[in-house]
Amino acid sequence: MEGKSMLKLSHVLAFLLLASLFQSLMARDLISDGIEVLQLPVENDGEFVFCPGKQSWPELVGKSAEYAKQIIQKENPIVHDVRLLFPGMPKPLNYVCGRVFLAVNFKRIVQVTPTMG
């Protein structure tokens, strides 16, 4: 029985190796044909930059939500959606340029550094 499981494992490893080689060959073919390939965001000081302007506001922790919203929209004019997150509310995982979540307590005081996302 042990021989069959080793054979299956070797098949899986061979498949993964071939799949990774095929993917890089396809990307090279697309680039050589003049087709643009999607580029991932560039890392800048440990953060990925998706949107222009300021991305986080650590100085707003402890401030009121209304004040934080005004400062965020003043410092980054592309922010068009500032949402409050109360304790226990889930934060969506998708990244939207121009959206900032304010994690606040029930007194509407910012508890976590607001970031673009």
Side-chain angles (χ1 to χ4, degrees), residues 52-61 68 71-77 79 99-102 110 112-117:
K54 191 169 180 179
Q55 300 289 309
S56 68
W57 293 265
E59 68 275 8
L60 296 178
V61 173
I71 296 299
I72 290 168
Q73 290 175 331
K74 178 182 174 186
E75 291 184 357
N76 192 341
V79 173
R99 180 177 70 185
V100 175
F101 288 102
L102 292 176
V110 178
V112 180
T113 299
T115 59
M116 184 84 70

Side-chain angles (χ1 to χ4, degrees), residues 19-40:
S20 66
L21 290 173
F22 180 73
Q23 185 179 14
S24 64
L25 288 174
M26 288 297 295
R28 285 187 199 133
D29 290 343
L30 289 174
I31 292 170
S32 66
D33 290 341
I35 298 173
E36 287 188 32
V37 178
L38 177 66
Q39 299 292 322
L40 293 175

Side-chain angles (χ1 to χ4, degrees), residues 48-69:
F48 287 102
V49 179
F50 292 90
C51 297
K54 191 169 180 179
Q55 300 289 309
S56 68
W57 293 265
E59 68 275 8
L60 296 178
V61 173
K63 306 292 184 191
S64 72
E66 293 78 21
Y67 175 76
K69 181 177 179 179

